[in-house]
Amino acid sequence: MPRGLWGSRETGSSRCFADVAAAHGIETRPSAEVYDLAIVGAGPAGLAAAVYGASEGLRTVVLEPNAIGGQAGTSSMIRNYLGFPRGISGGGLAHRAWEQAVLFGAQFVFTDEVAGLGLRGDDRVMALSDGSQAAARAVIIAAGVAYGRLSIPALDRPIGAGCGPAPGYGDALAAALGITWPAVLCSGPMRRR
Ligand SMILES: Cc1cc2nc3c(=O)[nH]c(=O)nc-3n(C[C@H](O)[C@H](O)[C@H](O)COP(=O)(O)OP(=O)(O)OC[C@H]3O[C@@H](n4cnc5c(N)ncnc54)[C@H](O)[C@@H]3O)c2cc1C
């Protein structure tokens, strides 16, 4: 578990990220208002939904437990995205989409996972894993996929260092020269959410 220091306070739990984010002015809690549109996940699908929802004047919130970009955010080069004939890094693409959505008024909340969805009258209520809630008139679930892991530490080490589960997309190929591990595994089981 990461440990962090902020001011005189030490945080040594999963709340570390939330504490540091809040200290930097990043929103970590949805407001009590009922949004027009809530989007679960800030991968490419969630970011696109945020741009179009907010640009149509909807009060839009994006709920994301990690970081913008989702799987695409880990790619060193995406070459098949509309409008980028020479390619763009996943991080660059996500940042541009986030900026575009924010300029249209979308709110991003980096918070706990959305763990449940229910109805309250005409509203949809999302239960966050810390027990709090967010409400909206409409919800788009853009939670993507999570890759299954084999629970073998040696295989987990290269993750995030240039090796990904989609070598055909360019990530592992582009970074292959920099990888010094004796073996690189670039495939694995996929779990649908
Ligand atoms: C290394 C790599 C390179 C790739 N390169 C290419 C490429 O070049 N071209 C291409 O077309 N595709 C590429 N892909 C595939 C592409 O990235 C995915 O198809 C795309 O990211 C899917 O977008 P998404 O928004 O549907 O889901 P994801 O990217 O999976 O994003 C889902 C988001 O939802 C969040 N989330 C999940 N569960 C919850 C929850 N309960 N509550 C709140 N938030 C939640 C996650 O944290 C995540 O941010 C690549 C994938 C990888 C891994």
Side-chain angles (χ1 to χ4, degrees):
M1 201 56 83
R3 300 187 74 80
L5 278 173
W6 190 257
S8 60
R9 197 151 60 102
E10 182 182 7
T11 55
S13 70
S14 60
R15 299 303 307 156
C16 174
F17 170 77
D19 290 345
V20 173
H24 281 84
I26 296 169
E27 292 191 65
T28 58
R29 283 285 161 266
S31 93
E33 71 175 311
V34 177
Y35 295 94
D36 293 324
L37 174 64
I39 298 159
V40 179
L47 290 166
V51 168
Y52 292 109
S55 68
E56 290 296 329
L58 301 177
R59 278 172 306 150
T60 300
V61 66
V62 182
L63 304 169
E64 168 60 55
N66 296 314
I68 57 169
Q71 295 170 65
T74 66
S75 176
S76 57
M77 179 63 77
I78 294 177
R79 304 193 65 176
N80 63 343
Y81 201 84
L82 185 74
F84 296 94
R86 302 203 176 274
I88 183 170
S89 70
L93 183 68
H95 187 267
R96 283 169 181 246
W98 165 80
E99 185 178 17
Q100 194 174 11
V102 167
L103 287 173
F104 278 121
Q107 183 188 356
F108 283 74
V109 180
F110 295 92
T111 182
D112 294 86
E113 281 195 346
V114 174
L117 181 62
L119 278 176
R120 187 178 61 203
D122 289 338
D123 301 332
R124 277 75 183 148
V125 179
M126 286 144 291
L128 305 184
S129 50
D130 72 343
S132 61
Q133 293 185 331
R137 307 278 297 175
V139 176
I140 294 176
I141 299 176
V145 295
Y147 291 91
R149 300 272 174 85
L150 297 175
S151 301
I152 301 174
L155 294 181
D156 282 345
R157 270 203 303 276
I159 293 172
C163 181
Y169 289 131
D171 176 76
L173 292 182
L177 293 178
I179 293 175
T180 56
W181 287 279
V184 177
L185 182 72
C186 291
S187 65
M190 207 165 75
R191 172 168 61 83
R192 288 209 172 273
R193 283 206 175 92

